[in-house]
Amino acid sequence: MTSLKDPALAPLQGLRVAIIGYGSQGRAHALNLRDSDVDVVVGLRPEGASAAKARADGLTVVTPAEAARSGAIVMVLTPDMVQPEIYQQSIEPNIAQGALLMFAHGFNVHFGQIKPRADLDVALVAPKGPGALVRREYEQGKGVPCLIAVQQNPSGHAHELALAYCAGIGGTRGGVIDTSFAEETETDLFGEQAVLCGGATELVLQGFETLVEAGYQPEVAYFECLHELKLIVDLLHEGGLARMHQFISDTAQYGDLTRGPRIINEDTRARMREVLAEIRDGRFAEEWVAEHKRGNQRYQALKQRDLEHPIEVVGRKLRAQMSWLQPTPTKPA
Ligand code: NAD
Ligand code: MG
């Protein structure tokens, strides 16, 4: 076995890491760990499309059960809703006594969908970005910041191992914050529901609809309400509100300061608190698990309605002319 040159990775010396799943996060973690000289196997259904992709990337693919048996660390990176079944069928019967079971999101452990065996260490390393970025930043010598948390620690080494894992995927280059499964899970769900995915897309759609309904061209409304959002988000990401104010006109600043609080107001805050309360008391988790168990019909129908929105029609037409756009290769989250 190769010896690990980076001292931050020393706790992983001689340990095999099994990555279960090879989607957005799985591919990034497996490739980054391999390029950090860590001993990695990927656990997948052997005949599936992900397995072919992992083999083409030069990785060793075994079944989830074999991966769980051979890994001193087993990282579960399948979709959240299929994790409980994989844990019960493939991981729990096979994972070694005292191994470290890891997740990139605390959902199943926090909401009791997975109850890990008492002898196992249980930790999470959650990169604060999609898998494609976790890979790209690593390749450029950088890293995506990560949250790290320990849920069970019978060996007393869970944190040290999880931190070394974090170094192996490039996370320590971006910065690591200690948290708990509860804080990671609840803030992650709130962020994607209220701000990042739910809030931002609804703001875009309602802005677009307001302009089109008032008789403006959909193409112009698309640029105003969707396309230009990236420019603003990039400024916020690079330097917060201060940097955005430096780059927008004084007219835009005055409009922002006086009109923004009328759009997102105390009513919005009250609904944000409601959404947060549903996350914290488990109602959201219960609803989503039940939806998955019923076959996801409502979820698929809602998604289809989003995909058929007029902004998608005009967006496809306009983006076809933007030769510089390079779609993210794997799905964002
Ligand atoms: P994904 O949907 O991109 O990937 C799923 C992978 O699991 C695929 O390789 C698929 O083949 C495999 N898979 C599906 N069913 C399987 C089964 N029954 N047996 C074996 N393999 C199976 O998943 P993802 O978005 O990378 O999410 C993985 C985890 O990472 C989740 O816990 C998620 O909450 C967390 N997370 C994701 C992101 C993100 O950017 N997508 C960010 C932070 C955390
Ligand atoms: Mg998230």
PDB file of all heavy atoms in Angstrom, residues 127-128 184 188-189 192 196 333, ligand 2:
ATOM      1  N   PRO A 127     -19.838  18.358   2.670  1.00  0.00           N
ATOM      2  CA  PRO A 127     -19.295  19.479   1.903  1.00  0.00           C
ATOM      3  C   PRO A 127     -20.401  20.499   1.629  1.00  0.00           C
ATOM      4  O   PRO A 127     -21.528  20.111   1.321  1.00  0.00           O
ATOM      5  CB  PRO A 127     -18.832  18.829   0.585  1.00  0.00           C
ATOM      6  CG  PRO A 127     -18.754  17.362   0.864  1.00  0.00           C
ATOM      7  CD  PRO A 127     -19.803  17.099   1.912  1.00  0.00           C
ATOM      8  N   LYS A 128     -20.085  21.758   1.756  1.00  0.00           N
ATOM      9  CA  LYS A 128     -21.093  22.797   1.508  1.00  0.00           C
ATOM     10  C   LYS A 128     -21.064  23.209   0.043  1.00  0.00           C
ATOM     11  O   LYS A 128     -20.857  24.374  -0.309  1.00  0.00           O
ATOM     12  CB  LYS A 128     -20.866  23.988   2.453  1.00  0.00           C
ATOM     13  CG  LYS A 128     -21.167  23.677   3.914  1.00  0.00           C
ATOM     14  CD  LYS A 128     -22.659  23.546   4.219  1.00  0.00           C
ATOM     15  CE  LYS A 128     -23.198  22.150   4.251  1.00  0.00           C
ATOM     16  NZ  LYS A 128     -24.649  22.087   4.471  1.00  0.00           N
ATOM     17  N   GLU A 184     -26.513  20.257  11.466  1.00  0.00           N
ATOM     18  CA  GLU A 184     -26.266  20.092  10.020  1.00  0.00           C
ATOM     19  C   GLU A 184     -27.567  19.799   9.295  1.00  0.00           C
ATOM     20  O   GLU A 184     -27.886  20.388   8.276  1.00  0.00           O
ATOM     21  CB  GLU A 184     -25.246  18.972   9.779  1.00  0.00           C
ATOM     22  CG  GLU A 184     -24.825  18.817   8.315  1.00  0.00           C
ATOM     23  CD  GLU A 184     -25.788  18.029   7.429  1.00  0.00           C
ATOM     24  OE1 GLU A 184     -26.502  17.151   7.935  1.00  0.00           O
ATOM     25  OE2 GLU A 184     -25.866  18.320   6.221  1.00  0.00           O
ATOM     26  N   ASP A 188     -29.368  22.557   6.903  1.00  0.00           N
ATOM     27  CA  ASP A 188     -29.272  22.182   5.487  1.00  0.00           C
ATOM     28  C   ASP A 188     -30.660  22.155   4.857  1.00  0.00           C
ATOM     29  O   ASP A 188     -30.878  22.695   3.768  1.00  0.00           O
ATOM     30  CB  ASP A 188     -28.601  20.809   5.371  1.00  0.00           C
ATOM     31  CG  ASP A 188     -28.263  20.455   3.941  1.00  0.00           C
ATOM     32  OD1 ASP A 188     -27.292  21.021   3.415  1.00  0.00           O
ATOM     33  OD2 ASP A 188     -28.973  19.628   3.344  1.00  0.00           O
ATOM     34  N   LEU A 189     -31.615  21.536   5.535  1.00  0.00           N
ATOM     35  CA  LEU A 189     -32.980  21.473   5.009  1.00  0.00           C
ATOM     36  C   LEU A 189     -33.581  22.872   4.932  1.00  0.00           C
ATOM     37  O   LEU A 189     -34.201  23.244   3.933  1.00  0.00           O
ATOM     38  CB  LEU A 189     -33.856  20.564   5.887  1.00  0.00           C
ATOM     39  CG  LEU A 189     -33.495  19.073   5.883  1.00  0.00           C
ATOM     40  CD1 LEU A 189     -34.333  18.320   6.912  1.00  0.00           C
ATOM     41  CD2 LEU A 189     -33.687  18.460   4.506  1.00  0.00           C
ATOM     42  N   GLU A 192     -32.028  24.860   1.931  1.00  0.00           N
ATOM     43  CA  GLU A 192     -32.514  24.498   0.589  1.00  0.00           C
ATOM     44  C   GLU A 192     -33.999  24.810   0.414  1.00  0.00           C
ATOM     45  O   GLU A 192     -34.431  25.126  -0.682  1.00  0.00           O
ATOM     46  CB  GLU A 192     -32.160  23.045   0.234  1.00  0.00           C
ATOM     47  CG  GLU A 192     -32.804  21.990   1.078  1.00  0.00           C
ATOM     48  CD  GLU A 192     -32.001  20.673   1.106  1.00  0.00           C
ATOM     49  OE1 GLU A 192     -30.810  20.681   0.757  1.00  0.00           O
ATOM     50  OE2 GLU A 192     -32.581  19.649   1.498  1.00  0.00           O
ATOM     51  N   LEU A 196     -32.099  28.729  -0.726  1.00  0.00           N
ATOM     52  CA  LEU A 196     -31.305  28.355  -1.899  1.00  0.00           C
ATOM     53  C   LEU A 196     -32.129  27.812  -3.055  1.00  0.00           C
ATOM     54  O   LEU A 196     -31.968  28.251  -4.194  1.00  0.00           O
ATOM     55  CB  LEU A 196     -30.260  27.305  -1.503  1.00  0.00           C
ATOM     56  CG  LEU A 196     -29.359  27.721  -0.341  1.00  0.00           C
ATOM     57  CD1 LEU A 196     -28.463  26.574   0.072  1.00  0.00           C
ATOM     58  CD2 LEU A 196     -28.523  28.932  -0.754  1.00  0.00           C
ATOM     59  N   ALA A 333     -27.117  20.249  -5.972  1.00  0.00           N
ATOM     60  CA  ALA A 333     -28.038  19.968  -4.871  1.00  0.00           C
ATOM     61  C   ALA A 333     -28.232  21.181  -4.004  1.00  0.00           C
ATOM     62  O   ALA A 333     -27.390  22.014  -3.909  1.00  0.00           O
ATOM     63  CB  ALA A 333     -27.535  18.845  -4.013  1.00  0.00           C
TER      64      ALA A 333
HETATM   65 MG    MG B   2     -27.269  21.285   1.224  1.00  0.00          MG
END
